Structures are given as C-alpha cells and as structure tokens.
C-alpha cells in the first residue's frame, strides 16, 4: 500500500481513518461572499472559468475557511461543449444557455477533439497554479461531466427536468446520438489527461442526470461511456484515482461499484444508508451523502444525520461529502458545524 500524506487520496488507496476525509460538492460558490466578489471582479461566470488566476483563487477560498481534505478545480461541465464550438452564456439568475445540437449535421459541425485545447488551456493553467499553492496534505480534484449529462445540455440548451428533447434525439437518431456520445467521450479523455498532467490527483465524473435515463438504458449511456473514459485515462495514468457520480440510479449503483476502473462511487442522498453499505461500499470506496438542504436548515437533525452517515460507513472506505451540490442559501455556520461534528 502506498502511504500518503493526502488523507483523501489515502482512503482511495485503501487506508482507513477514524475521521473520514471531507470535501463538499460545489464548495466554491455563491454561498460564499468572497466568491461573489471575485465573480464580479472577473466580469462573469465564464470569464471566471477562463481566468487561471481568479479560478485558482476561488478554488482555494473554501479551504481558507474550512478544514477540508480536497480542493476541486473551479470550472464547469459545460466548458467541453463550449470548446467543441457551441456558444455558451451564463445569465445571472437564469443558469447556463448553450447553443443546441439538433440533428446529425450539427453533430458533424462540432470541432475536432484536438481543437478543444485552444479554448480550454486556461483551465490547465488554473490546475497548475492551484497545485503550486495548495497545502501538500490537500488532494486536488479535477473533473468533467459524463457524456450522457453533457449531451443533455447540448441537446436541450439548458437545464431540464425531463430531458424529453434528448430522449427524442436518442430514440429517433440513435446513430447520430452515439456519434455525439463518442465525440464527448474523446474530448473528455483529452481534457482530463491535460488536467492530470497539470497536477490533478483525482478525477471526478459528474453524471448528474443519470437518474433521468430509463433503467434499460443506464448501462449503455451512463455506465459504459464513463467506464471507457476511466479505462482510457488509466492506460495513460495508471495511478490516477477516479470517482463517479451516477446520481439517481438507485439499485443500479451496485453495477457501478463493480467496475475495476472506478475507485469510488459518489452516493446521492436518496439511497438508504444500510442498502448503500451492503450493496455499494462492500465493493468500493463510497463518497457522500448528506442532503445539501441540511446546510440550509442546520440544527439537531443535521448533526444526527452527519453522525449516522459517519457511523454507517465507518468500517469501510468512506469520503464524507454531500449527496449533491451545496446550494447558494447554505449557511456558512452550518458548514463549520458539519466539519466540527465530523472531527469530534
Ligand atoms: O456563479 C454562478 O452564478 C454560477 C453557479 C455555478 C458554479 C459555482 C455554475 C453554473 N457552475 C459552477 C461551478 C461548478 N460546476 C463546479 C466547480 C465548483 C465546485 O464544485 O466547488 C463544478 C464541479 C460544477 C459541475 C456542474 N455544472 C454540474 C455537475 C454537478 C451538479 O451540481 O450536478 C452541472 C450539472 C453543471 C451545470 C451548471 N453550471 C452552472 C449551473 C447553475 C448548472 C446547472 C444548470 C441546470 O441544470 O439548471
């Protein structure tokens, strides 16, 4: 076993600790006043993502406040579609608006994989800069969206609840849809390779909308493309650790925990803890899964939930985290209390 002074990385490599390492999905974000200031200074959300100095600054902001074991690169899953040639805009209060892919000719119009670096090189510079400033005990997490989740934004043009347009595209033009998934997969492998070369210790793949797929298609469109990305990355970088987050797939979680190329599965907040312990953690390190709403409400119930999660996963590999991203209305005092409760 490789002994590691980075606790989060050590858990991924099989070490056990009394207090699990902790980081929080979306830990840099609008609940922090210093984030809002830097975002204004940058000009807008995309300007912030493509400004290495400011992106590094916001990545480090939560670590200056809280005793966290991981730093996650500040960027967004929609930078890949942007780098493939689709116009992207973030309007205040409205979320992302992306130019859409509507048919086969739009899929063919996407730029070649090797062209993405023209747009994405500031992200790699941000990774190097963060690495140079980061305390040696903190694990640096790089990330990308999964091909399925990224495809939903490319087809819908924005966040959607039912992904009807994407499912229509998939059902009516399966070959074009498969070409789109391959294009995203290739671009993601290249993008993440550059993040690893620049210093990312761990890679997380966000499949935030995996739960929107019918059960019959979870394996084909959520699991398989992420497995391909993980296997191709590990061929080049055998030691890189990979966390996958197939949010909302319920009992399919077990299949993800059995894939050799994955090192950790991030659990959403819906899963019963005992089920996740027996059917997921039994096979692989787990991450999660406090409901982010507790960081808004706080109080005794939050403390109880944190202690339950910690206890349930205490015999196997566990990285403490939320079951989804922290919300803008989260209270900083509750984040402090979360960390203090874990360390007690
Ligand atoms: O300042 C702002 O107004 C923008 C809010 C914001 C932030 C802070 C967006 C827009 N993206 C981000 C950063 C981000 N996004 C990070 C790095 C920061 C960190 O974790 O500390 C990461 C890992 C993401 C990943 C991301 N972007 C996901 C996957 C995770 C998840 O939450 O499910 C998704 C789905 C996106 C798309 C996206 N970007 C931003 C928004 C509001 C959305 C969701 C759009 C929607 O579906 O409605």
């Amino acid at each position: 076993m490789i002994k590691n002074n980075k606790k989060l990385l050590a858990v991924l490599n099989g070490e056990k600790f009394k207090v699990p390492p902790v980081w929080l999905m979306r830990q840099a974000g609008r609940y922090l006043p210093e984030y809002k200031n830097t975002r204004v200074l940058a000009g807008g959300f995309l300007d912030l993502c493509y400004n290495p100095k400011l992106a590094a600054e916001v990545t480090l902001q939560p670590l200056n406040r809280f005793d966290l074991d991981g730093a996650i690169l500040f960027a967004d899953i929609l930078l890949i579609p942007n780098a493939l040639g689709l116009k992207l805009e973030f309007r205040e209060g409205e979320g992302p608006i992306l130019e859409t892919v509507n048919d086969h000719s739009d899929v063919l119009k996407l730029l070649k994989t090797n062209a993405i670096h023209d747009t994405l090189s500031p992200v790699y510079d941000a990774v190097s800069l963060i690495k140079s400033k980061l305390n040696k005990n903190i694990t640096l997490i790089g990330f990308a969206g999964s091909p399925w989740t990224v495809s939903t934004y490319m087809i819908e043009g924005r966040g959607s609840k039912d992904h009807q347009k994407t499912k229509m595209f998939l059902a009516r033009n399966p070959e074009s849809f498969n070409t789109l998934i391959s294009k995203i997969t290739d671009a993601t492998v290249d993008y993440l390779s550059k993040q690893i070369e620049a210093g990312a210790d761990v890679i997380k793949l966000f499949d935030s909308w995996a739960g929107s797929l019918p059960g019959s298609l979870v394996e084909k469109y959520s699991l398989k493309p992420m497995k391909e990305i993980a296997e191709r990355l590990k061929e080049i970088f055998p030691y890189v650790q990979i966390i996958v987050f197939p949010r909302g797939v319920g009992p399919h979680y077990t299949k993800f925990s059995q894939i050799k190329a994955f090192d950790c599965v991030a659990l959403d907040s819906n899963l019963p803890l005992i089920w996740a312990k027996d059917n997921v953690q039994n096979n692989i390190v787990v991450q999660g899964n406090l409901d982010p709403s507790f960081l808004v409400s706080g109080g005794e119930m939050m403390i109880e939930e944190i202690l339950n999660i910690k206890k349930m996963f205490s015999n196997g590999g566990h990285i403490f985290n939320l079951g989804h991203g922290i919300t803008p209305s989260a209270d900083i005092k509750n984040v402090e209390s979360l960390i203090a409760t874990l360390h007690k």
Side-chain angles (χ1 to χ4, degrees):
M1 192 183 296
I2 311 161
K3 279 272 169 207
N4 209 307
N5 60 357
K6 293 178 178 174
K7 189 173 181 182
L8 199 156
L9 206 50
V11 165
L12 290 169
N13 279 303
E15 279 187 61
K16 303 247 165 68
F17 297 89
K18 275 216 172 74
V19 175
V22 55
W23 68 282
L24 305 172
M25 274 191 249
R26 295 275 186 112
Q27 61 191 27
R30 282 175 296 175
Y31 74 108
L32 292 177
E34 59 270 35
Y35 167 80
K36 286 192 259 188
N37 289 340
T38 313
R39 189 190 197 275
V40 171
L41 200 69
F45 178 74
L46 264 191
D47 304 293
L48 181 53
C49 291
Y50 292 134
N51 181 323
K53 194 173 152 276
L54 296 181
E57 188 179 301
V58 292
T59 299
L60 298 171
Q61 283 170 350
L63 289 115
N64 296 332
R65 272 185 186 267
F66 315 117
D67 188 2
L68 297 160
D69 298 286
I72 181 157
L73 161 70
F74 190 85
D76 197 82
I77 66 164
L78 301 180
L79 301 188
I80 285 201
N82 188 219
L84 285 170
L86 301 181
K87 283 195 198 77
L88 174 62
E89 229 189 298
F90 281 86
R91 293 187 200 142
E92 189 76 56
E94 250 191 271
I97 315 275
L98 188 63
E99 189 183 345
T100 52
V101 167
N102 300 298
D103 52 31
H104 193 63
S105 73
D106 288 344
V107 175
L108 297 180
K109 269 188 264 168
L110 294 170
L111 301 180
K112 295 244 173 325
T113 304
N114 59 13
I116 64 173
H117 307 304
D118 297 345
T119 305
L120 297 173
S121 64
V123 178
Y124 318 142
D125 294 340
V127 177
S128 309
L129 199 56
I130 298 161
K131 187 77 168 192
S132 72
K133 293 185 172 182
L134 203 59
N135 179 310
K136 296 282 171 282
N137 301 322
I138 310 293
T139 300
L140 179 52
I141 304 162
F143 75 94
S146 73
W148 162 253
T149 288
V150 170
S151 81
T152 67
Y153 287 98
M154 291 171 83
I155 294 170
E156 309 277 340
R158 55 177 70 219
S160 151
K161 286 213 159 66
D162 57 11
H163 304 107
Q164 187 57 60
K165 234 183 126 192
T166 313
K167 292 175 183 176
M168 198 121 100
F169 194 118
L170 183 165
R172 293 189 178 170
N173 317 282
E175 277 179 33
S176 301
F177 188 74
N178 292 342
T179 309
L180 177 61
I181 291 286
S182 304
K183 283 213 169 207
I184 302 168
T185 302
D186 288 346
T188 304
V189 170
D190 277 25
Y191 176 54
L192 293 176
S193 296
K194 294 280 188 192
Q195 290 187 26
I196 298 164
E197 280 166 9
D201 301 305
V202 172
I203 292 298
K204 178 156 179 192
L205 293 171
F206 286 92
D207 201 355
S208 304
W209 299 116
S212 175
L213 280 162
S216 57
L217 295 180
V218 166
E219 194 150 348
K220 180 162 186 192
Y221 287 118
S222 170
L223 189 147
K224 246 188 73 202
M226 289 202 284
K227 178 169 174 272
E228 180 180 336
I229 292 168
E231 285 171 349
R232 283 169 62 181
L233 286 176
K234 288 200 166 180
E235 250 171 58
I236 320 170
F237 310 98
Y239 296 106
V240 73
Q241 299 286 318
I242 296 176
I243 305 174
V244 292
F245 181 40
R247 186 167 78 95
V249 298
H252 296 280
Y253 257 105
T254 304
K255 282 190 212 130
F256 290 80
S257 71
Q258 293 161 336
I259 302 298
K260 246 187 85 200
F262 301 156
D263 301 283
C264 173
V265 170
L267 308 170
D268 61 56
S269 309
N270 280 318
L271 293 170
L273 294 181
I274 182 82
W275 184 89
K277 174 180 146 74
D278 292 343
N279 297 284
V280 186
Q281 196 197 26
N282 222 5
N283 305 322
I284 199 167
V285 175
V286 293
Q287 178 180 282
N289 68 343
L290 183 73
D291 189 311
S293 69
F294 284 112
L295 292 181
V296 185
S297 60
E300 264 174 48
M301 201 186 273
M302 175 184 85
I303 306 289
E304 219 174 280
E305 288 272 338
I306 294 165
L307 293 175
N308 277 343
I309 294 168
K310 183 182 170 196
K311 187 161 173 228
M312 184 60 76
F313 295 129
S314 59
N315 290 325
H318 181 216
I319 298 166
F320 198 95
N321 204 314
L322 305 176
H324 198 194
I326 205 166
T327 55
S329 53
D331 188 332
I332 289 169
K333 284 201 218 72
N334 293 333
V335 178
E336 286 165 354
S337 149
L338 156 62
I339 312 271
T341 305
L342 281 177
H343 286 101
K344 231 185 242 164

